[in-house]
Amino acid sequence: MNPRSEQYSKMSLGPIDCNKPLPSHTRLDYWECYAKVILETLYPDEFQSLLIVDKPDLRTLKNLIGIEVTSAVPQSRREALALWNEIPYIDQKEGTKSRDRMTRLGVTYQGGVQSWPVQNYSSDNIKATPINTILKVFAEKEKRLNSGSYAGCQRYDLFIHSESWLVDDNIGSLLEELVSLNSGITKYRYVFLTTTEDFFRFDLLQKSCSTVYYGDFSKIQYNMACEARKLVEEGEDR
């Protein structure tokens, strides 16, 4: 979903170099910045000048809406992707270590054009597919929402970054499961979800879903990723 240079690098240190991946630790989290840019781009009348804070991660002015940002991409996949991004920018010795680590994670390094393990979505039961990771993440965040650790907001939404593949046959099932899990006293109103091809907005109270197809705005998508990186870089200068 993001240009290679916009990904996190697991091991790179020091000042941000515009020609290299982002370092692993920055003042502003890239994925929170990316969620902010996506929401402000796709829903400008609803989300303007979102604040990057904590618990929840994004908020509108006066805390009217709080948006928690999280990932449903498995940690092993995220680590392998970070290693792949950094290899072109590190020395041969460290590169060998990173390639070996990728192999242990189940991915053979192939260079600039990388093939990733195929995931199985053949089951009719979404809980038996990679989509179940989304449900697990939602369940964890629903508990956190009702733990009393979030700032008081009039409405809470959840933004989930994922690489899942959704089709018409399982969108309804996912919505049904999310509604069922949204059972606490305090509830999420919307779940925003990135996938391999589409961007989804699930309305958990109205039990409906709207979709934006990435292919319709691939250039805008690239520009959003660049804008998110710019926010991270500017955050380092504060």
Side-chain angles (χ1 to χ4, degrees):
M1 182 172 181
N2 301 318
R4 179 171 181 142
S5 62
E6 272 62 66
Q7 303 286 349
Y8 279 107
S9 169
K10 179 179 172 58
M11 299 173 60
S12 57
L13 301 172
I16 294 178
D17 185 330
C18 65
N19 296 313
K20 295 182 179 181
L22 291 171
S24 57
H25 300 290
T26 52
R27 291 179 182 273
L28 297 181
D29 180 86
Y30 171 80
W31 295 107
E32 293 174 8
C33 291
Y34 194 39
K36 165 183 164 70
V37 173
I38 289 177
L39 292 174
E40 292 176 349
T41 300
L42 299 185
Y43 310 102
D45 294 335
E46 187 173 359
F47 299 109
Q48 299 177 4
S49 303
L50 286 170
L51 304 175
I52 302 175
V53 283
D54 191 27
K55 297 181 180 179
D57 302 307
L58 303 176
R59 294 181 221 165
T60 59
L61 296 177
K62 299 182 180 180
N63 286 5
L64 295 179
I65 304 173
I67 306 142
E68 181 71 358
V69 180
T70 190
S71 174
V73 179
Q75 178 58 38
S76 59
R77 156 73 173 177
R78 282 181 276 166
E79 182 181 353
L81 183 59
L83 291 167
W84 173 67
N85 275 289
E86 76 180 0
I87 287 174
Y89 305 101
I90 57 180
D91 61 37
Q92 183 175 358
K93 182 178 179 181
E94 291 301 319
T96 298
K97 292 180 180 179
S98 294
R99 285 190 289 271
D100 289 344
R101 176 59 181 165
M102 284 185 65
T103 299
R104 292 195 295 273
L105 292 170
V107 182
T108 300
Y109 180 75
Q110 297 171 319
V113 179
Q114 180 68 43
S115 296
W116 300 93
V118 176
Q119 301 186 79
N120 187 355
Y121 288 85
S122 61
S123 176
D124 291 334
N125 179 5
I126 64 171
K127 292 183 179 180
T129 74
I131 298 171
N132 193 46
T133 306
I134 297 171
L135 299 178
K136 290 181 178 179
V137 166
F138 181 87
E140 292 172 0
K141 291 300 182 179
E142 194 274 341
K143 290 181 180 178
R144 177 69 63 85
L145 177 63
N146 283 277
S147 70
S149 61
Y150 286 168
C153 298
Q154 292 186 16
R155 187 184 104 194
Y156 294 95
D157 299 337
L158 182 62
F159 192 110
I160 303 176
H161 292 286
S162 89
E163 296 179 344
S164 294
W165 180 58
L166 292 183
V167 295
D168 292 342
D169 291 342
N170 51 37
I171 293 173
S173 298
L174 177 57
L175 174 59
E176 183 178 341
E177 293 291 345
L178 291 173
V179 170
S180 177
L181 290 169
N182 199 34
S183 58
I185 294 175
T186 304
K187 301 181 185 299
Y188 284 113
R189 174 61 193 271
Y190 295 106
V191 171
F192 299 96
L193 177 69
T194 67
T195 67
T196 54
E197 295 185 355
D198 304 294
F199 181 79
F200 294 88
R201 177 174 181 157
F202 294 94
D203 186 334
L204 302 189
L205 299 189
Q206 296 296 324
K207 300 180 181 179
S208 62
C209 175
S210 59
T211 309
V212 176
Y213 176 53
Y214 281 145
D216 290 341
F217 60 93
S218 58
K219 183 176 181 180
I220 296 176
Q221 179 187 334
Y222 176 84
N223 291 338
M224 290 191 295
C226 293
E227 181 62 25
R229 180 183 172 109
K230 181 180 177 182
L231 289 175
V232 175
E233 292 176 344
E234 291 174 347
E236 296 298 289
D237 296 331
R238 293 179 182 176

